[in-house]
Amino acid sequence: RENKCYLFAQKYPLRNYSPMDIIEPNFRLIKEVVEYVLSLKLNTKLNFSMTTNLTLMSKDIAKFIANTENFSVVCSIDGDRLTHDEYRVDINGKGSFDRTLKGLEILYNELKKKGKEDLILLSTVITPPYDENKLSRIQSFFRDCPYIDEKTSIITSYVDYGKKIDIDDLRNRLAYKSSIEFMKDNNPVQEWSENFIEDFNSENPFTWNGILQNLQKIHSRRISGEPMSEYIMNGCCMPGGRKLFVTVDGKYNLCERMGETPNIGNYIEGYDVDSIKKYYVSDYCKKSENDCSRCWAINLCSICYAVCYDKYGLNLLTKKYKCASERFGIENYLRLYHEMMYSNPSVIEDLNKMQLF
């Protein structure tokens, strides 16, 4: 199996994407890498992170994580037992909830001893059906679990089926008349969250972290009385600057979220500047300019390379499809932001305290 990591520039976080189970050889490799990097005594802040399903978390592993500075752990847990065990099963089809919760308990207790429990992040994949009963069960679990507190960040996402976008998909996406109609069909959890906020003023939905991040993007947007003459490249990062994904055969890829895409170098020759310029600057700008220059949402757009590239480079059809979704999402959050300015102004005030990355 593959063990992969990527390095960011400046603060240099190192993240391991090993198989979801922390088996001994995998963690031994993680430990060796962390200890080696620390032995270099680099004159910069180092951040470490790994992703796990927690099923084989042990006290020794948890202690190592707790004793290492700036070591965060992304834990995959989908909510209550019934929800979690729908898909997170072992080779024999047995659900992993009990082992995952035990692993979370071990990790939480060790990190709490060091006052580091905020370094636990939960990754929750929400699967169909998106009904009230299921979402309420997930909400109750995160609220009542003793190893999850107000410091815990919960990252939610839907299943990515990896479908190749065709022209009919694009036509269907562009046929929506409003963000309300679009959100109802394509982001039902967001619709549930907004209803939850309205009905339960004393409790935030488990999706609150993502909601705040999107509201913050609206809150900190650029505002001008005249059309701006320059625009940024949507939500794209500096290729090879913010992060670097290293495959097991030593190739440099842009990001761990991207599949087979044009690489940007390798560990022997370093960065391939010509490849970066062609695929991730020139081609992206030339192919996107016509649509982006006419788009009202350009200054709020968060589309990046990860959602619209394949092995040949930028897939313009896929990008157009993602653009439609992005515009509806931005429209929805503009509406929600201005509604909350009147209905819940304290939330808007709190956005001033959020840290930008």
Side-chain angles (χ1 to χ4, degrees):
R1 293 189 182 186
E2 294 183 346
N3 285 297
K4 302 179 180 180
C5 65
Y6 65 77
L7 292 170
F8 285 33
Q10 297 179 349
K11 289 189 177 181
Y12 296 100
L14 177 106
R15 182 168 297 174
N16 180 274
Y17 283 87
S18 58
M20 291 300 291
D21 291 336
I22 309 177
I23 58 177
E24 181 60 30
N26 289 323
F27 187 73
R28 187 164 61 244
L29 174 62
I30 295 171
K31 188 171 182 289
E32 289 175 359
V33 170
V34 170
E35 291 175 341
Y36 169 73
V37 173
L38 290 173
S39 73
L40 298 177
K41 299 186 183 301
L42 300 173
N43 186 28
T44 188
K45 180 181 178 181
L46 292 165
N47 292 314
F48 301 95
S49 178
M50 74 179 190
T51 301
T52 174
N53 66 10
L54 295 166
T55 55
L56 296 177
M57 178 62 66
S58 67
K59 285 189 176 181
D60 287 341
I61 292 174
K63 285 180 179 178
F64 176 79
I65 293 170
N67 290 329
T68 303
E69 289 300 312
N70 306 313
F71 200 138
S72 62
V73 184
V74 180
C75 307
S76 299
I77 184 166
D78 292 343
D80 62 288
R81 181 194 305 276
L82 181 61
T83 303
H84 182 90
D85 284 350
E86 282 185 296
Y87 294 99
R88 296 193 184 273
V89 297
D90 62 20
I91 194 171
N92 298 313
K94 182 180 179 181
S96 60
F97 178 81
D98 289 335
R99 288 171 291 157
T100 295
L101 192 62
K102 183 62 178 178
L104 181 61
E105 176 188 3
I106 293 170
L107 180 63
Y108 178 85
N109 288 337
E110 290 299 326
L111 286 172
K112 190 171 183 179
K113 292 176 184 177
K114 302 283 187 176
K116 297 180 177 180
E117 59 267 38
D118 60 320
L119 292 178
I120 294 177
L121 295 87
L122 303 183
S123 175
T124 300
V125 179
I126 307 173
T127 57
Y130 309 110
D131 56 57
E132 173 70 27
N133 180 51
K134 183 176 188 176
L135 296 174
S136 294
R137 289 201 317 267
I138 298 173
Q139 176 72 21
S140 297
F141 169 77
F142 286 130
R143 182 190 62 222
D144 299 335
C145 180
Y147 319 119
I148 299 172
D149 57 29
E150 67 279 356
K151 295 181 180 180
T152 309
S153 294
I154 302 174
I155 306 164
T156 59
S157 61
Y158 292 106
V159 176
D160 184 352
Y161 295 97
K163 182 183 183 300
K164 186 176 180 180
I165 302 302
D166 58 34
I167 190 63
D168 288 333
D169 293 320
L170 178 59
R171 290 194 184 104
N172 291 335
R173 182 76 14 136
L174 294 174
Y176 283 100
K177 303 300 182 182
S178 70
S179 63
I180 295 176
E181 180 186 355
F182 172 82
M183 300 300 283
K184 184 176 182 179
D185 287 348
N186 297 278
N187 197 343
V189 179
Q190 175 69 24
E191 185 180 39
W192 171 86
S193 299
E194 292 182 23
N195 292 332
F196 190 93
I197 294 170
E198 293 176 3
D199 295 340
F200 301 90
N201 293 325
S202 61
E203 184 180 351
N204 292 325
F206 65 88
T207 56
W208 189 238
N209 184 61
I211 290 173
L212 283 180
Q213 289 180 357
N214 281 288
L215 289 174
Q216 210 284 332
K217 183 172 69 174
I218 302 297
H219 187 66
S220 61
R221 69 194 185 281
R222 295 171 63 192
I223 299 177
S224 173
E226 299 178 356
M228 300 176 190
S229 58
E230 296 180 349
Y231 304 97
I232 60 174
M233 290 174 58
N234 309 133
C236 297
C237 63
M238 178 72 72
R242 182 173 177 267
K243 64 170 69 174
L244 178 65
F245 183 65
V246 185
T247 66
V248 289
D249 54 1
K251 292 180 180 178
Y252 291 172
N253 284 349
L254 208 62
C255 173
E256 84 287 351
R257 295 170 55 205
M258 300 172 73
E260 186 180 0
T261 52
N263 65 66
I264 59 172
N266 58 70
Y267 80 102
I268 297 176
E269 299 170 332
Y271 285 118
D272 185 340
V273 177
D274 290 336
S275 179
I276 293 173
K277 285 182 177 179
K278 170 178 169 47
Y279 291 106
Y280 297 105
V281 181
S282 297
D283 286 358
Y284 188 91
C285 289
K286 289 177 182 177
K287 293 181 179 180
S288 301
E289 184 178 8
N290 185 60
D291 291 328
C292 290
S293 63
R294 302 164 186 260
C295 181
W296 63 265
I298 179 66
N299 286 310
L300 291 169
C301 182
S302 62
I303 285 180
C304 70
Y305 301 119
V307 300
C308 53
Y309 268 65
D310 56 29
K311 62 182 179 180
Y312 304 108
L314 176 64
N315 185 316
L316 192 57
L317 181 64
T318 301
K319 186 171 187 288
K320 287 175 180 288
Y321 177 86
K322 297 294 183 180
C323 285
S325 302
E326 181 77 1
R327 282 193 296 272
F328 284 128
I330 292 171
E331 180 185 334
N332 184 69
Y333 270 103
L334 281 167
R335 175 193 57 79
L336 181 62
Y337 176 85
H338 288 91
E339 286 178 356
M340 296 191 78
M341 286 181 66
Y342 293 96
S343 64
N344 200 344
S346 63
V347 172
I348 305 302
E349 293 171 4
D350 288 343
L351 295 176
N352 291 318
K353 305 172 186 176
M354 286 186 66
Q355 184 176 359
L356 292 173
F357 294 94

